[in-house]
């Protein structure tokens, strides 16, 4: 059974991280970074050509992680594949023992690095989830044909954007995702408790039963925070945090210490995780470190999160 | 309405290379409204071609250029005209309807863009992609297949910023428009209808409908 599913069923605080495959065919950097995550997380999301930028496939890195004994979470978007191709990916994944997935609609090709590619979008996130649920229930593929040996089972997840106006649209879509089979959701990066609490209240009010994992993006610098505020949908880094990063940069310059803003970012992430866990605001966290996976053990230690406890 | 746009004239002239005597055919309906194949447009084309060494040996403007029987009647003017080729100033459908009725090369002077709404004279919006399974009854009369850049049928992606679409910030997010419209109509509950599998079986082409066969 999926490690993440086991954790939630045992009432544990779920922890996941995220990695991107290389833009190339040498996976050694990814495999080295993955070592920081061994025994620290319940699963590692492998992104599926995020921002529509060409990389090696999610399935490829998932297989490598699985073979190295690290639990992968197969991210699947509908941007580049028809439902036929999606089923093919899942059957292949299952044959390697991959049993956890996260379904996304996917970013449009026009925001990516090969704009001439045809966007497929045969199925959206709901459609992918329902495809898997229907396949599990019937043992048949999307054409109604029997699958040899029955259908594989996946622990299915989705994403959600808590900072969204009008929020009711995200809540409705979340409800649909859960109706279609999502058992857990990872949120877009959040930086404060308040918006997360507001979102959780809305989830409760709508009576949606799903494990929510708060998305955590450790900030590296004030510039990164400002950039994300301006251009990444659903991201809202508060001013006082940007100031902490700016002050840290100034202090570092004055004292000749390198990487102070990054350290402050790690502290802020750890503080937030600790509060989420202590106040039991949601069921877990999803760490998006954007290439800085080596910081994850430090963040989890500072936050007092140990999946083996 | 089928929205057409004029091709660059050089492209048409390249098609006409080696041809001297041409016939012109327009369309009294869509292409007239798009100012690509009406009376005035045919007159301008005639003048241009004649100024560039061609001879226009006949013109016709059927009420609709996509009506096979109607076009069959109209193209008779070209039969003994000595035309070596026909320039069709209608949509792609019109060009093919003309070609199906004449044993002459047919060269389109227009690009066929989309099925559109006329906002006002000369301004057209794409509104329907003819998906074969209309959902606008549950989306407040706003088509998510066409207006949402990802053709999402289950509500928005997470990508809008300040109500604008992530794909093209000039466009409003279709799903926010749909939601606001459903609220206006007192039909918010419709936003919950799950349509994960719209299905594209009805989208495979070429399609054919015969009311006779259906009876
Ligand atoms: S759903 Fe949209 S594309 Fe499909 S028929 Fe209706 S208006 Fe046209
Ligand atoms: S932002 Fe809105 S219109 Fe644009 S792709 Fe997403 S849901 Fe569709």
């Amino acid at each position: 059974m999926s490690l993440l599913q086991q954790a939630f069923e045992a009432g544990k605080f779920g922890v996941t991280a995220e990695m991107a495959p290389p833009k190339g065919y040498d996976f050694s950097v990814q495999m080295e970074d993955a070592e920081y995550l061994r025994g620290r997380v319940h699963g590692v999301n492998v992104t599926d050509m995020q921002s529509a930028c060409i990389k090696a496939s999610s399935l490829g890195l998932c297989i490598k992680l699985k073979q190295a004994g690290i639990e992968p979470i197969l991210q699947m978007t509908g941007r580049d594949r028809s439902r036929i191709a999606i089923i093919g990916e899942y059957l292949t994944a299952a044959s390697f023992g991959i049993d956890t997935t996260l379904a996304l609609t996917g970013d449009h090709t026009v925001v990516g690095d090969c704009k001439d590619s045809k966007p497929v979008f045969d199925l959206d996130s709901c459609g992918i989830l329902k495809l898997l649920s229907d396949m599990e229930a019937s043992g048949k593929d999307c054409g109604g044909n029997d699958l040899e040996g029955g259908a594989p089972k996946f622990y299915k997840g989705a994403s959600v954007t808590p900072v969204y106006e009008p929020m009711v649209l995200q809540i409705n879509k979340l409800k649909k995702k859960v109706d279609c089979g999502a058992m857990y959701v990872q949120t877009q990066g959040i930086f404060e408790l308040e918006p997360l609490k507001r979102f959780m209240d809305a989830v409760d009010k709508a009576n949606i039963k799903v494990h929510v994992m708060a998305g955590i993006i450790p900030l590296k610098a004030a510039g990164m925070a400002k950039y994300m505020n301006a251009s990444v949908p659903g991201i809202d880094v508060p001013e006082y945090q940007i100031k902490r990063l700016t002050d840290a940069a100034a202090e570092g310059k004055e004292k000749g210490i390198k990487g102070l803003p990054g350290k402050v970012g790690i502290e802020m992430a750890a503080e937030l995780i600790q509060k989420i866990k202590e106040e039991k605001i949601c069921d877990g966290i999803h760490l998006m470190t954007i290439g800085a996976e080596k910081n994850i053990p430090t963040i989890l230690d500072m936050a007092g999160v140990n999946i083996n406890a | 309405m089928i929205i057409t746009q004029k091709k660059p004239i050089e492209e048409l002239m390249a098609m006409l290379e080696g041809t001297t005597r041409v016939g012109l055919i327009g369309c009294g309906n869509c292409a007239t409204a798009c100012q690509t194949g009406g009376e005035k447009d045919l007159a301008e084309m005639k003048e241009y071609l004649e100024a560039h060494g061609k001879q226009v040996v006949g013109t016709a403007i059927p009420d609709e250029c996509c009506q096979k029987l109607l076009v069959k009647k109209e193209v008779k003017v070209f039969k003994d005209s000595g035309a070596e080729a026909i320039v069709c100033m209608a949509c792609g459908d019109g060009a093919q309807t003309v070609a199906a009725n004449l044993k002459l090369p047919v060269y389109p002077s227009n690009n066929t863009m989309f099925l559109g709404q006329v906002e006002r004279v000369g301004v057209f919006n794409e509104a329907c992609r003819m998906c074969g399974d209309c959902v606008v009854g549950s989306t407040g009369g706003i088509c998510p297949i066409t207006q949402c850049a990802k053709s999402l049928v289950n509500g928005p992606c997470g990508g809008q910023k300040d109500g604008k679409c992530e794909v093209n910030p000039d466009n409003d997010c279709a799903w926010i428009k749909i939601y606001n419209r459903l609220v206006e109509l007192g039909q918010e509950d419709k936003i919950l209808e799950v349509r994960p599998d719209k299905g594209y079986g009805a989208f495979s082409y070429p399609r054919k409908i015969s009311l006779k066969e259906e009876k």
Side-chain angles (χ1 to χ4, degrees):
Chain A
M1 192 203 278
S2 155
L3 191 64
L4 185 61
Q5 183 177 8
Q6 286 176 41
F8 284 138
E9 288 184 2
K12 287 192 180 167
F13 190 71
V15 182
T16 51
E18 186 165 303
M19 291 185 77
K23 192 175 187 79
Y25 59 92
D26 179 358
F27 286 57
S28 52
V29 171
Q30 280 70 17
M31 295 316 288
E32 278 162 31
D33 284 348
E35 285 307 319
Y36 295 109
L37 309 176
R38 187 183 291 280
R40 303 299 310 239
V41 297
H42 295 113
V44 182
N45 285 40
V46 180
T47 52
D48 179 14
M49 311 209 204
Q50 211 170 15
S51 308
C53 290
I54 298 168
K55 299 262 173 93
S57 74
S58 173
L59 181 56
L61 182 54
C62 282
I63 292 171
K64 288 214 178 232
L65 290 175
K66 186 76 193 178
Q67 287 173 339
I70 295 163
E71 278 309 305
I73 298 177
L74 178 64
Q75 285 199 359
M76 185 71 69
T77 74
R79 178 194 53 237
D80 308 308
R81 319 174 172 82
S82 69
R83 64 193 79 193
I84 293 177
I86 290 173
I87 291 189
E89 294 265 282
Y90 277 122
L91 295 178
T92 309
S95 83
F96 285 93
I98 296 163
D99 52 15
T100 313
T101 186
L102 183 101
L104 299 158
T105 297
D107 302 314
H108 199 280
T109 46
V110 303
V111 304
D113 63 358
C114 178
K115 300 182 198 311
D116 278 340
S117 178
K118 183 178 184 186
V120 179
F121 298 119
D122 182 12
L123 296 176
D124 66 359
S125 50
C126 293
I128 297 171
L129 292 164
K130 185 142 193 310
L131 182 81
L132 285 176
S133 299
D134 288 349
M135 197 161 82
E136 271 174 33
S138 66
K140 294 179 194 302
D141 65 20
C142 56
N145 312 297
D146 286 332
L147 291 165
E148 289 160 25
K153 282 201 171 24
F154 285 88
Y155 191 57
K156 296 178 278 297
S159 68
V160 69
T161 307
V163 179
Y164 189 100
E165 219 17 79
M167 163 108 73
V168 59
L169 275 179
Q170 280 295 311
I171 295 293
N172 280 338
K173 184 117 187 213
L174 177 61
K175 197 165 184 329
K176 283 189 182 184
K177 288 176 181 174
V178 174
D179 287 345
C180 290
M183 307 293 286
Y184 72 96
V185 285
Q186 297 169 338
T187 76
Q188 172 60 295
I190 55 114
F191 299 88
E192 289 180 292
L193 282 190
E194 276 320 307
L196 181 62
K197 282 184 184 162
R198 269 200 301 277
F199 174 72
M200 291 308 295
D201 280 348
V203 172
D204 283 345
K205 266 206 200 101
N207 200 21
I208 301 172
K209 301 277 174 267
V210 67
H211 296 291
V212 176
M213 307 179 79
I216 307 287
I217 304 176
L219 296 166
K220 295 172 188 170
M224 169 193 183
K226 285 183 201 158
Y227 168 78
M228 289 199 306
N229 274 354
S231 51
V232 184
I235 292 281
D236 186 16
V237 183
E239 264 319 304
Y240 73 88
Q241 294 190 5
I242 297 179
K243 187 163 184 307
R244 264 181 82 176
L245 293 164
T246 316
D247 291 349
E251 191 189 328
K253 210 168 173 193
E254 198 185 296
K255 297 186 182 160
I257 315 169
K258 267 200 178 152
L260 261 198
K263 250 184 90 197
V264 167
I266 288 174
E267 278 166 27
M268 293 194 296
E271 282 163 25
L272 184 61
I273 295 169
Q274 192 176 15
K275 280 191 213 145
I276 290 171
K277 186 167 180 246
E278 273 170 12
E279 296 184 28
K280 293 196 166 55
I281 294 172
C282 61
D283 306 313
I285 50 141
H286 173 59
L287 278 157
M288 292 173 271
T289 38
I290 323 173
E293 282 69 57
K294 65 174 191 306
N295 294 334
I296 288 182
T298 315
I299 296 172
L300 293 176
D301 287 343
M302 284 170 81
V305 173
N306 177 359
I307 66 161
N308 304 307
Chain B
M1 175 176 299
I2 307 296
I3 309 304
T4 46
Q5 248 181 345
K6 287 181 189 165
K7 278 182 182 292
I9 193 73
E10 301 76 38
E11 194 183 329
L12 178 67
M13 292 310 278
M15 287 187 258
L16 287 174
E17 205 174 304
T19 307
T20 312
R21 297 165 63 83
V22 297
L24 298 184
I25 187 163
C27 170
N29 204 329
C30 307
T32 292
C34 292
Q35 300 167 27
T36 54
E39 239 170 81
K40 187 169 159 270
D41 312 295
L42 258 75
E44 279 171 14
M45 180 66 85
K46 184 169 186 282
E47 200 184 310
Y48 181 90
L49 291 177
E50 289 180 345
H52 288 79
K54 311 285 178 198
Q55 221 179 310
V56 174
V57 295
T59 60
I61 305 184
D63 287 346
E64 282 130 22
C65 200
C66 54
Q67 263 240 40
K68 214 166 171 180
L69 293 178
L70 197 66
V71 171
K72 191 175 179 179
K73 222 166 68 199
E74 295 278 341
V75 297
K76 283 189 182 136
V77 296
F78 303 121
K79 282 260 158 79
D80 301 309
S81 68
E84 299 160 78
I86 305 294
V87 171
C88 180
M89 299 177 65
C91 64
D93 187 318
Q96 295 182 65
T97 309
V98 173
N101 275 306
L102 277 176
K103 280 204 182 69
L104 284 175
V106 175
Y107 300 125
S109 66
N110 294 330
N111 287 324
T112 304
M113 306 306 290
F114 50 82
L115 177 60
Q117 228 165 40
V118 184
E119 193 176 301
R120 55 191 138 85
V121 175
V123 180
F124 311 103
N125 298 317
E126 183 171 16
C128 169
R129 303 197 61 205
M130 300 180 282
C131 72
D133 178 19
C134 195
V135 302
V136 302
S138 57
T139 55
I142 296 169
C143 171
I145 304 298
T146 313
Q147 309 246 352
C148 165
K150 297 178 188 171
S151 295
L152 299 180
V153 286
N154 276 300
C157 69
Q160 63 96 8
K161 201 135 180 107
D162 306 321
K164 297 293 179 184
C165 174
E166 71 165 23
V167 176
N168 180 353
D170 288 342
N171 293 334
D172 294 328
C173 169
W175 275 97
I176 295 195
K177 281 202 291 191
I178 290 171
Y179 174 70
N180 291 338
R181 173 89 174 145
L182 287 175
V183 169
E184 218 173 85
L185 296 173
Q187 295 187 333
E188 290 109 292
D189 48 321
K190 292 211 169 169
I191 206 116
L192 274 177
E193 283 175 18
V194 183
R195 280 181 186 272
D197 193 3
K198 183 161 185 313
Y200 289 86
F203 210 53
S204 64
Y205 45 83
R207 292 174 271 186
K208 190 179 172 114
I209 294 174
S210 165
L211 295 182
K212 252 199 207 127
E213 279 164 30
E214 271 173 25
K215 269 179 197 157

